[in-house]
Amino acid sequence: MQLKQLLKEIDYKLLSGSLDVEVSQIDYDSRQVVNHSLFVCIPGAKVDGHSFIEQVINKGAKVVVVEREVEYQEGVTYIQVKEARLALALLSCAFFEHPSRKMTVIGLTGTKGKTTTSYMVQSILEKAGEKVGIIGTIGSIVNGEIRQTKNTTPESFELQKLMYEMVEGGTQYCVMEVSSQGLMLNRVAGIDFDYGVFTNLSPDHIGENEHRDFEHYMECKKMLFKMCKVGLFNKDDEHFEDMIKDATCQIKTYSIKKDSDLKASHIQLSNGQGTLGVKFDTNGLINATFETDIPGHFSVYNSLVAIMICALNKIQVSYIQEALKQVRVRGRVEIVPVHQEYTVMIDYAHNALSFESLIKTIQAYNPHRIICVYGAGGHRDHKRRYEAGEIVAKYNAFSILTADNPRGESIKDICDMIITGIDKYNGEYVVIEDRKEAIHYALQHAEPKDVILCLGKGHETYQIIDKEPLPFSEREIIEQYFQN
C-alpha cells in the first residue's frame, strides 16, 4: 500500500524523504522487518524502538515512524508522531482497509465475565446462522479455526490482521474482549465498535507494569465507551455511575435488582443429574424465560448481555433460548458431564477473589461437599497462596493440594504456603503433588451430590513444571478416567 494512503487519518510531520513510497508490511519488532517495511519506533519500559533504526534500515525498512528527531539516512522516509502506539494502531487499521467497518464489532470490558459472555454471544449468533469471530483470553476463533494469542487483546497490528482475515472469510460479527491494557496501550484505537459492554469492576491488574491504582484501571476501562455507538452497562455494579460518566455512546442497562432496559427476575437455581444451572425470566427489551447450564447469579448477568446484544440485532428469541441452554465455555465454570450423582467442574479461578466467588456460588446449590483440587503458580505472588488456602477452608471445602504451573519452584514449598492459610480455619486437606493423581483421587472419593472443582488451569492445555510447557488437559484426564 502507498504510504500516502496509510497516513490519511493520522496527524504527522514529514521529517525527511518522500510520501510516494510503497509499504509491504508494518512492523514494531525489529526481528520481523523485511524489504519495504514501515517500522514504528515504540518506546517501551525496557526497550526503545528508536535504538533499532539503523538495524531495520539495513534489513530493508523504507519508512520509519518516530516520536522524536533522529539522524536521517538517504532513501528512507521519516515520519514524526506524538504517540507511536496510537500511530501503529491507526496505520494498521488503514493497512488492512479498516476491517472493523465491515463487521458488527462487539467489545466487552470488565474484571470478570468477558470470556463466558463472548462465547454466549457467539453461540446464539451461530445458532441463528451468522458467522462469528472471537478475540479473547482463551485464544481467537477466525473462520472456525482456533488460534493461540499472546494477550487477551493482541497488539494492534495482529488485531487488525485477525479482523481482516475474518472479513475475508465472510464473518459478520466480531466479539472481542477488550482489556484495560489493550485500551491503555491504544491496541484497539481506530476500531469501529458497534457495541461496548461493561460487565463489572473490582481491583485487578494493579502493579508496577500495569495500572498505578484502581482509579487508573477504571479510567482505562471507560475509554471503550467513547469509542462505541451503543454501551451496555451492568446497573447493579457499584461502579455503574462512574462508568457511564463521560460516555459518549447511547446507554442501555441490564440488571437483576433495578429497573433497566433488560431485567431478570424469578431466578431459580437448577440442579440436574451432574449439572448445575440457572433459570430466569426477563422483561423489558425481551419478555421470555431462559435457562443455562452454567451455575450462579453471575451467569444471569452474562446471559443478560448476550440476550440484549442479540435482541438489538433482531435475533429470534427461540435461537437465544436454545443456544443459552447448550453453551459451554472451555475452562470457565465448565461442567464435565461424566457422572449423574456428582458434579465435576473446571475453572480458571486462580486467586482468592475468584475462589470465593465460585465457592459461594456452588454453596447456593446445597451440595453434600465441595472438593477443591488446586495449587498455585510458581514464581508468583506468595500472598496469593496463603489467601487461596484461607478462602477454601473458610467455606469448609476440602482441599486437594497439587501442582499448578510450578515453573521450577518446589511443589511441596508452594503447598506448604497454602496449608498456612488452610490452618487459619482448621481446614481439611491432602497433598498429592502429581495433578493427574490428585484429580483421580477426587473422583475416586466422590460421594453423591458432591461438587469437585478443579481450579487454576481452566482452558490451559499444558503444565509448566520447569521451563517448558508439557501437554496437560484436565478435561481429557477426567473423561479418560471414566473410560477405563
Side-chain angles (χ1 to χ4, degrees), residues 28-56:
Y28 57 93
D29 182 338
S30 61
R31 294 166 295 185
Q32 306 299 320
V33 169
V34 297
N35 198 30
H36 276 272
S37 277
L38 178 154
F39 182 72
V40 182
C41 300
I42 295 178
K46 296 177 182 175
V47 180
D48 186 347
H50 292 80
S51 61
F52 294 94
I53 291 175
E54 188 176 345
Q55 183 182 321
V56 300

Side-chain angles (χ1 to χ4, degrees), residues 153 361 404:
T153 308
T361 293
D404 190 310

Side-chain angles (χ1 to χ4, degrees), residues 107 134 215 240 450:
I134 281 188
E215 285 66 32
F240 164 72
D450 277 352

